[in-house]
Amino acid sequence: MPYQNILVAVDLGSTTETVAGRASALAKQNGATLHVLHVIEPLAITYGQAKEQLDRLCESLDVPDSRQHLVTGRPEAEIPTQAKAIDCDLIVVGTHARWGLALLLGSTTDGVVHSAECDVLAVKVDAAT
C-alpha cells in the first residue's frame, strides 16, 4: 500500500534540500500529502529565523501553511510526536556518518527510529553537501 501522509523533518542546514527533495519525490510518486517539520532545540536558532527558512523551503516544495510545523523541543522526541498527531505513515529524516562522541550518544535518527509508530526513511547525506 502506498504511503498517504508523509512527514519530513528538516534541520534547515546544508542537507535540508536533499532530504526534503527525497520526501517530496516520494509524496508525488505515492500521491501522498507532505508535511514539513522543523524542531527548534533550546538555545538554537531563533524562532523568527527558523520560521523564515521554513517558509522559503515550503514555498519551494509547494507545501501550504497548514502542513508546516515548527515546534520547540528535542527532535528525537518531537518528530515521532508530531508524526502521530498528524497521522503520518512515513517519517523522512536525514542521517550523517557519526564518529567519536556522537557515536556514543546516539543520533536524532536513532531516537526517531526507536520511538516512531510508523515507517522511517533515513536519507543518507554528507554534511559537506
Side-chain angles (χ1 to χ4, degrees):
M1 181 164 112
Y3 294 110
Q4 297 175 0
N5 209 10
I6 298 173
L7 174 67
V8 60
V10 295
D11 64 6
L12 299 176
S14 63
T15 60
T16 291
E17 288 186 22
T18 301
V19 175
R22 182 72 56 89
S24 179
L26 275 171
K28 288 176 184 168
Q29 289 170 359
N30 287 282
T33 300
L34 180 64
H35 292 261
V36 180
L37 170 68
H38 174 68
V39 179
I40 300 172
E41 294 185 72
L43 305 176
I45 190 169
T46 65
Y47 182 91
Q49 289 173 321
K51 178 68 174 133
E52 287 175 15
Q53 289 178 315
L54 186 64
D55 286 344
R56 281 194 301 273
L57 173 66
C58 290
E59 184 177 334
S60 73
L61 297 172
D62 199 28
V63 173
D65 289 346
S66 63
R67 297 195 322 254
Q68 297 177 30
H69 311 277
L70 184 61
V71 299
T72 302
R74 295 172 42 117
E76 63 274 12
E78 292 300 326
I79 294 168
T81 297
Q82 292 298 313
K84 184 176 181 178
I86 56 180
D87 196 28
C88 285
D89 49 8
L90 177 67
I91 298 169
V92 180
V93 293
T95 186
H96 303 277
R98 296 179 293 150
W99 296 273
L101 188 59
L103 183 60
L104 293 174
L105 295 176
S107 72
T108 297
T109 302
D110 291 337
V112 171
V113 167
H114 292 308
S115 58
E117 295 183 10
C118 62
D119 292 348
V120 177
L121 172 63
V123 176
K124 188 172 182 178
V125 293
D126 181 352
T129 304

